[in-house]
Amino acid sequence: MSLAACSWAQQQRLSVKPPEQLVVKRGVHVTQNLQVSVQPGFHVNSNDPKGEYLIPLRLTWTEGPLKVERVEYPPSEQINVGSQSLAVFTGQFVIRTEFQGDEHAPLGPSSLTGKLHYQACNNQMCFRPTSVDVQLPVLVR
């Protein structure tokens, strides 16, 4: 299997619904909900996994017309794999990001790029950590 095929197969274990355009005024707070789905039979470590060797789920955003105030993850689910208890996300969940519109952002359409970094696992093995890019269209008014 080629490296590109391996990367494609990994990304199919987690998907992100493309976000709709976020309309914001300069200096005003706004919240964006990112809808994430983990394929059945798989889980991803939570943003606060129980072991320091586990790869946490992380959403980061590039700089742009919005400033990140806070990224909020849902409560994790506790599962047992063998004798180990894990804090994970499964199925569908939402990651909330609270932004503040930049006071000096240019008016009009723009975008932010996010990166959702994760490691997918099933009950037998974990797969190579990877990331999904997220494009957030923004309209500054």
Short mmCIF file of all heavy atoms in Angstrom, two decimals, residues 72-120:
data_model
loop_
_atom_site.label_atom_id
_atom_site.label_comp_id
_atom_site.label_asym_id
_atom_site.label_seq_id
_atom_site.Cartn_x
_atom_site.Cartn_y
_atom_site.Cartn_z
N GLU A 72 -13.35 24.25 23.12
CA GLU A 72 -14.04 23.44 24.13
C GLU A 72 -14.40 22.07 23.55
O GLU A 72 -15.11 21.98 22.54
CB GLU A 72 -15.31 24.17 24.57
CG GLU A 72 -16.07 23.49 25.66
CD GLU A 72 -17.31 24.30 26.02
OE1 GLU A 72 -17.19 25.51 26.29
OE2 GLU A 72 -18.41 23.70 26.02
N TYR A 73 -13.90 21.04 24.19
CA TYR A 73 -14.16 19.66 23.76
C TYR A 73 -15.31 19.08 24.59
O TYR A 73 -15.51 19.48 25.73
CB TYR A 73 -12.90 18.81 23.94
CG TYR A 73 -11.73 19.33 23.14
CD1 TYR A 73 -10.86 20.27 23.70
CD2 TYR A 73 -11.50 18.91 21.85
CE1 TYR A 73 -9.78 20.76 22.97
CE2 TYR A 73 -10.43 19.39 21.11
CZ TYR A 73 -9.57 20.32 21.68
OH TYR A 73 -8.51 20.81 20.96
N PRO A 74 -16.02 18.09 24.04
CA PRO A 74 -17.11 17.47 24.82
C PRO A 74 -16.54 16.58 25.91
O PRO A 74 -15.34 16.27 25.91
CB PRO A 74 -17.85 16.64 23.77
CG PRO A 74 -16.80 16.30 22.77
CD PRO A 74 -15.88 17.50 22.72
N PRO A 75 -17.38 16.15 26.85
CA PRO A 75 -16.90 15.19 27.85
C PRO A 75 -16.50 13.89 27.14
O PRO A 75 -17.14 13.48 26.17
CB PRO A 75 -18.12 14.95 28.74
CG PRO A 75 -19.04 16.10 28.47
CD PRO A 75 -18.76 16.55 27.07
N SER A 76 -15.44 13.28 27.63
CA SER A 76 -14.97 12.04 27.01
C SER A 76 -15.77 10.85 27.52
O SER A 76 -16.46 10.93 28.53
CB SER A 76 -13.48 11.83 27.28
OG SER A 76 -13.25 11.71 28.67
N GLU A 77 -15.66 9.78 26.78
CA GLU A 77 -16.29 8.51 27.13
C GLU A 77 -15.20 7.62 27.69
O GLU A 77 -14.08 7.60 27.19
CB GLU A 77 -16.87 7.91 25.84
CG GLU A 77 -17.49 6.56 25.96
CD GLU A 77 -17.96 6.05 24.60
OE1 GLU A 77 -18.14 6.83 23.66
OE2 GLU A 77 -18.14 4.82 24.51
N GLN A 78 -15.50 6.89 28.74
CA GLN A 78 -14.52 5.97 29.33
C GLN A 78 -14.77 4.56 28.78
O GLN A 78 -15.89 4.06 28.89
CB GLN A 78 -14.63 5.96 30.86
CG GLN A 78 -14.53 7.34 31.51
CD GLN A 78 -13.26 8.08 31.16
OE1 GLN A 78 -12.18 7.57 31.29
NE2 GLN A 78 -13.41 9.31 30.68
N ILE A 79 -13.74 3.96 28.18
CA ILE A 79 -13.86 2.59 27.69
C ILE A 79 -12.70 1.77 28.22
O ILE A 79 -11.67 2.32 28.62
CB ILE A 79 -13.90 2.51 26.14
CG1 ILE A 79 -12.57 2.98 25.54
CG2 ILE A 79 -15.08 3.29 25.58
CD1 ILE A 79 -12.44 2.66 24.06
N ASN A 80 -12.89 0.47 28.26
CA ASN A 80 -11.82 -0.45 28.65
C ASN A 80 -11.36 -1.22 27.43
O ASN A 80 -12.18 -1.78 26.70
CB ASN A 80 -12.29 -1.42 29.74
CG ASN A 80 -12.56 -0.71 31.04
OD1 ASN A 80 -11.80 0.16 31.46
ND2 ASN A 80 -13.66 -1.05 31.69
N VAL A 81 -10.06 -1.21 27.21
CA VAL A 81 -9.44 -2.02 26.16
C VAL A 81 -8.42 -2.89 26.87
O VAL A 81 -7.43 -2.38 27.40
CB VAL A 81 -8.78 -1.15 25.07
CG1 VAL A 81 -8.09 -2.02 24.04
CG2 VAL A 81 -9.82 -0.25 24.40
N GLY A 82 -8.72 -4.18 26.93
CA GLY A 82 -7.90 -5.06 27.76
C GLY A 82 -8.04 -4.63 29.20
O GLY A 82 -9.15 -4.41 29.69
N SER A 83 -6.92 -4.44 29.87
CA SER A 83 -6.96 -4.00 31.27
C SER A 83 -6.80 -2.49 31.41
O SER A 83 -6.73 -1.97 32.52
CB SER A 83 -5.84 -4.71 32.06
OG SER A 83 -4.58 -4.32 31.52
N GLN A 84 -6.77 -1.79 30.28
CA GLN A 84 -6.53 -0.35 30.30
C GLN A 84 -7.85 0.43 30.15
O GLN A 84 -8.68 0.12 29.30
CB GLN A 84 -5.58 0.01 29.16
CG GLN A 84 -5.09 1.41 29.21
CD GLN A 84 -4.02 1.65 28.13
OE1 GLN A 84 -3.97 0.96 27.12
NE2 GLN A 84 -3.21 2.66 28.36
N SER A 85 -8.02 1.46 30.99
CA SER A 85 -9.16 2.36 30.89
C SER A 85 -8.73 3.58 30.09
O SER A 85 -7.69 4.18 30.38
CB SER A 85 -9.63 2.77 32.28
OG SER A 85 -10.68 3.69 32.19
N LEU A 86 -9.52 3.94 29.07
CA LEU A 86 -9.16 5.04 28.18
C LEU A 86 -10.25 6.11 28.17
O LEU A 86 -11.43 5.80 28.30
CB LEU A 86 -8.97 4.53 26.75
CG LEU A 86 -7.91 3.45 26.54
CD1 LEU A 86 -7.97 2.94 25.10
CD2 LEU A 86 -6.53 3.99 26.87
N ALA A 87 -9.84 7.36 27.97
CA ALA A 87 -10.76 8.49 27.78
C ALA A 87 -10.77 8.79 26.29
O ALA A 87 -9.76 9.24 25.73
CB ALA A 87 -10.29 9.70 28.57
N VAL A 88 -11.91 8.53 25.62
CA VAL A 88 -11.96 8.61 24.16
C VAL A 88 -13.22 9.33 23.68
O VAL A 88 -14.13 9.62 24.46
CB VAL A 88 -11.93 7.19 23.53
CG1 VAL A 88 -10.67 6.44 23.95
CG2 VAL A 88 -13.18 6.40 23.90
N PHE A 89 -13.25 9.58 22.38
CA PHE A 89 -14.44 10.05 21.68
C PHE A 89 -14.81 9.00 20.65
O PHE A 89 -13.93 8.43 19.99
CB PHE A 89 -14.20 11.38 20.97
CG PHE A 89 -13.84 12.52 21.90
CD1 PHE A 89 -12.69 13.25 21.70
CD2 PHE A 89 -14.66 12.86 22.95
CE1 PHE A 89 -12.35 14.31 22.52
CE2 PHE A 89 -14.35 13.92 23.79
CZ PHE A 89 -13.19 14.64 23.58
N THR A 90 -16.10 8.74 20.53
CA THR A 90 -16.62 7.81 19.53
C THR A 90 -17.84 8.45 18.88
O THR A 90 -18.39 9.43 19.38
CB THR A 90 -17.05 6.46 20.15
OG1 THR A 90 -18.08 6.70 21.11
CG2 THR A 90 -15.87 5.75 20.82
N GLY A 91 -18.27 7.89 17.76
CA GLY A 91 -19.49 8.36 17.11
C GLY A 91 -19.39 9.81 16.68
O GLY A 91 -18.36 10.25 16.17
N GLN A 92 -20.46 10.57 16.91
CA GLN A 92 -20.50 11.97 16.52
C GLN A 92 -20.38 12.87 17.74
O GLN A 92 -20.97 12.57 18.79
CB GLN A 92 -21.80 12.27 15.77
CG GLN A 92 -21.92 11.49 14.48
CD GLN A 92 -23.19 11.82 13.72
OE1 GLN A 92 -24.03 12.60 14.17
NE2 GLN A 92 -23.33 11.23 12.55
N PHE A 93 -19.64 13.95 17.58
CA PHE A 93 -19.49 14.91 18.67
C PHE A 93 -19.16 16.28 18.09
O PHE A 93 -18.88 16.41 16.90
CB PHE A 93 -18.43 14.47 19.69
CG PHE A 93 -17.06 14.23 19.12
CD1 PHE A 93 -16.10 15.23 19.13
CD2 PHE A 93 -16.72 13.00 18.57
CE1 PHE A 93 -14.84 15.02 18.62
CE2 PHE A 93 -15.45 12.77 18.07
CZ PHE A 93 -14.50 13.78 18.08
N VAL A 94 -19.22 17.30 18.94
CA VAL A 94 -19.00 18.68 18.51
C VAL A 94 -17.85 19.28 19.31
O VAL A 94 -17.77 19.10 20.53
CB VAL A 94 -20.28 19.52 18.73
CG1 VAL A 94 -20.03 21.00 18.49
CG2 VAL A 94 -21.40 19.02 17.84
N ILE A 95 -16.98 19.99 18.60
CA ILE A 95 -15.92 20.78 19.23
C ILE A 95 -16.29 22.24 19.01
O ILE A 95 -16.48 22.68 17.88
CB ILE A 95 -14.53 20.48 18.61
CG1 ILE A 95 -14.19 19.00 18.75
CG2 ILE A 95 -13.47 21.35 19.27
CD1 ILE A 95 -12.93 18.59 18.00
N ARG A 96 -16.40 22.98 20.12
CA ARG A 96 -16.80 24.40 20.05
C ARG A 96 -15.56 25.28 20.12
O ARG A 96 -14.69 25.05 20.96
CB ARG A 96 -17.70 24.76 21.23
CG ARG A 96 -19.05 24.13 21.20
CD ARG A 96 -19.81 24.42 22.48
NE ARG A 96 -19.71 25.82 22.86
CZ ARG A 96 -20.73 26.68 22.85
NH1 ARG A 96 -21.92 26.26 22.51
NH2 ARG A 96 -20.57 27.93 23.20
N THR A 97 -15.52 26.28 19.26
CA THR A 97 -14.46 27.28 19.33
C THR A 97 -15.11 28.63 19.54
O THR A 97 -16.03 29.00 18.80
CB THR A 97 -13.60 27.30 18.05
OG1 THR A 97 -13.06 26.01 17.81
CG2 THR A 97 -12.46 28.29 18.20
N GLU A 98 -14.65 29.33 20.56
CA GLU A 98 -15.10 30.70 20.80
C GLU A 98 -14.06 31.64 20.21
O GLU A 98 -12.87 31.55 20.54
CB GLU A 98 -15.28 30.94 22.29
CG GLU A 98 -16.41 30.13 22.88
CD GLU A 98 -16.58 30.35 24.37
OE1 GLU A 98 -16.02 31.32 24.92
OE2 GLU A 98 -17.28 29.53 24.98
N PHE A 99 -14.52 32.49 19.30
CA PHE A 99 -13.66 33.46 18.63
C PHE A 99 -14.06 34.86 19.02
O PHE A 99 -15.19 35.10 19.44
CB PHE A 99 -13.84 33.37 17.10
CG PHE A 99 -13.35 32.10 16.47
CD1 PHE A 99 -14.25 31.14 16.04
CD2 PHE A 99 -12.00 31.89 16.24
CE1 PHE A 99 -13.82 29.99 15.41
CE2 PHE A 99 -11.56 30.74 15.61
CZ PHE A 99 -12.47 29.78 15.19
N GLN A 100 -13.14 35.80 18.82
CA GLN A 100 -13.46 37.22 18.89
C GLN A 100 -13.02 37.84 17.58
O GLN A 100 -11.90 37.58 17.10
CB GLN A 100 -12.75 37.92 20.04
CG GLN A 100 -13.09 39.40 20.08
CD GLN A 100 -12.55 40.10 21.30
OE1 GLN A 100 -11.98 39.49 22.18
NE2 GLN A 100 -12.75 41.39 21.35
N GLY A 101 -13.92 38.62 17.00
CA GLY A 101 -13.57 39.32 15.76
C GLY A 101 -12.46 40.32 16.01
O GLY A 101 -12.51 41.07 16.98
N ASP A 102 -11.46 40.31 15.16
CA ASP A 102 -10.35 41.26 15.27
C ASP A 102 -10.89 42.66 15.00
O ASP A 102 -11.62 42.89 14.04
CB ASP A 102 -9.28 40.89 14.24
CG ASP A 102 -8.02 41.72 14.38
OD1 ASP A 102 -8.10 42.91 14.75
OD2 ASP A 102 -6.94 41.18 14.10
N GLU A 103 -10.55 43.61 15.86
CA GLU A 103 -11.01 45.00 15.72
C GLU A 103 -10.59 45.64 14.40
O GLU A 103 -11.24 46.55 13.92
CB GLU A 103 -10.45 45.85 16.87
CG GLU A 103 -11.03 45.52 18.23
CD GLU A 103 -12.42 46.09 18.43
OE1 GLU A 103 -12.88 46.94 17.64
OE2 GLU A 103 -13.07 45.68 19.40
N HIS A 104 -9.51 45.14 13.81
CA HIS A 104 -8.97 45.73 12.59
C HIS A 104 -9.06 44.81 11.39
O HIS A 104 -8.41 45.05 10.38
CB HIS A 104 -7.51 46.15 12.82
CG HIS A 104 -7.34 47.03 14.01
ND1 HIS A 104 -7.80 48.35 14.04
CD2 HIS A 104 -6.81 46.79 15.23
CE1 HIS A 104 -7.54 48.87 15.23
NE2 HIS A 104 -6.94 47.96 15.97
N ALA A 105 -9.87 43.77 11.49
CA ALA A 105 -10.01 42.82 10.38
C ALA A 105 -10.62 43.52 9.18
O ALA A 105 -11.53 44.34 9.32
CB ALA A 105 -10.89 41.65 10.79
N PRO A 106 -10.11 43.24 7.98
CA PRO A 106 -10.72 43.83 6.79
C PRO A 106 -12.15 43.33 6.61
O PRO A 106 -12.44 42.16 6.86
CB PRO A 106 -9.83 43.36 5.63
CG PRO A 106 -8.84 42.41 6.20
CD PRO A 106 -8.98 42.38 7.68
N LEU A 107 -13.04 44.22 6.20
CA LEU A 107 -14.42 43.84 5.96
C LEU A 107 -14.50 42.95 4.72
O LEU A 107 -13.71 43.08 3.80
CB LEU A 107 -15.29 45.08 5.77
CG LEU A 107 -15.38 46.02 6.98
CD1 LEU A 107 -16.19 47.25 6.62
CD2 LEU A 107 -15.97 45.30 8.17
N GLY A 108 -15.48 42.02 4.74
CA GLY A 108 -15.69 41.16 3.58
C GLY A 108 -15.35 39.71 3.87
O GLY A 108 -15.08 39.33 5.01
N PRO A 109 -15.34 38.91 2.80
CA PRO A 109 -15.10 37.47 2.98
C PRO A 109 -13.63 37.17 3.26
O PRO A 109 -12.74 37.86 2.79
CB PRO A 109 -15.54 36.87 1.64
CG PRO A 109 -15.48 37.98 0.65
CD PRO A 109 -15.69 39.26 1.43
N SER A 110 -13.43 36.15 4.04
CA SER A 110 -12.10 35.68 4.41
C SER A 110 -12.24 34.22 4.82
O SER A 110 -13.31 33.63 4.64
CB SER A 110 -11.56 36.53 5.56
OG SER A 110 -10.24 36.18 5.86
N SER A 111 -11.19 33.68 5.40
CA SER A 111 -11.29 32.31 5.91
C SER A 111 -10.22 32.07 6.96
O SER A 111 -9.24 32.79 7.04
CB SER A 111 -11.16 31.28 4.77
OG SER A 111 -9.87 31.31 4.23
N LEU A 112 -10.45 31.03 7.74
CA LEU A 112 -9.48 30.53 8.71
C LEU A 112 -9.22 29.08 8.37
O LEU A 112 -10.13 28.36 7.93
CB LEU A 112 -10.02 30.59 10.13
CG LEU A 112 -10.07 31.91 10.84
CD1 LEU A 112 -10.67 31.74 12.22
CD2 LEU A 112 -8.69 32.52 10.96
N THR A 113 -8.01 28.63 8.62
CA THR A 113 -7.68 27.23 8.42
C THR A 113 -7.46 26.60 9.78
O THR A 113 -6.70 27.12 10.60
CB THR A 113 -6.41 27.06 7.56
OG1 THR A 113 -6.65 27.68 6.30
CG2 THR A 113 -6.08 25.60 7.35
N GLY A 114 -8.15 25.50 10.02
CA GLY A 114 -7.97 24.74 11.24
C GLY A 114 -7.31 23.41 10.93
O GLY A 114 -7.30 22.94 9.79
N LYS A 115 -6.76 22.81 11.97
CA LYS A 115 -6.15 21.50 11.83
C LYS A 115 -6.61 20.66 13.02
O LYS A 115 -6.42 21.06 14.17
CB LYS A 115 -4.63 21.62 11.81
CG LYS A 115 -3.93 20.34 11.38
CD LYS A 115 -2.48 20.56 11.08
CE LYS A 115 -2.21 21.25 9.79
NZ LYS A 115 -2.38 20.52 8.57
N LEU A 116 -7.24 19.53 12.74
CA LEU A 116 -7.69 18.61 13.78
C LEU A 116 -6.74 17.42 13.78
O LEU A 116 -6.72 16.63 12.84
CB LEU A 116 -9.13 18.16 13.52
CG LEU A 116 -9.75 17.27 14.58
CD1 LEU A 116 -9.80 17.97 15.95
CD2 LEU A 116 -11.15 16.84 14.17
N HIS A 117 -5.91 17.35 14.81
CA HIS A 117 -4.89 16.30 14.93
C HIS A 117 -5.44 15.20 15.83
O HIS A 117 -6.00 15.50 16.89
CB HIS A 117 -3.60 16.88 15.51
CG HIS A 117 -2.46 15.92 15.52
ND1 HIS A 117 -1.80 15.54 14.38
CD2 HIS A 117 -1.87 15.26 16.54
CE1 HIS A 117 -0.85 14.68 14.69
NE2 HIS A 117 -0.87 14.49 16.00
N TYR A 118 -5.27 13.93 15.42
CA TYR A 118 -5.83 12.82 16.20
C TYR A 118 -5.10 11.52 15.90
O TYR A 118 -4.33 11.43 14.95
CB TYR A 118 -7.32 12.65 15.87
CG TYR A 118 -7.58 12.13 14.47
CD1 TYR A 118 -7.78 10.77 14.25
CD2 TYR A 118 -7.58 12.98 13.37
CE1 TYR A 118 -7.99 10.28 12.96
CE2 TYR A 118 -7.80 12.50 12.11
CZ TYR A 118 -8.00 11.15 11.90
OH TYR A 118 -8.20 10.66 10.63
N GLN A 119 -5.40 10.53 16.72
CA GLN A 119 -4.95 9.17 16.48
C GLN A 119 -6.15 8.25 16.64
O GLN A 119 -6.75 8.20 17.71
CB GLN A 119 -3.84 8.75 17.44
CG GLN A 119 -3.32 7.36 17.15
CD GLN A 119 -2.13 6.98 18.01
OE1 GLN A 119 -1.96 7.48 19.12
NE2 GLN A 119 -1.29 6.11 17.49
N ALA A 120 -6.49 7.56 15.57
CA ALA A 120 -7.62 6.63 15.60
C ALA A 120 -7.14 5.25 16.04
O ALA A 120 -6.02 4.83 15.72
CB ALA A 120 -8.27 6.53 14.23
#
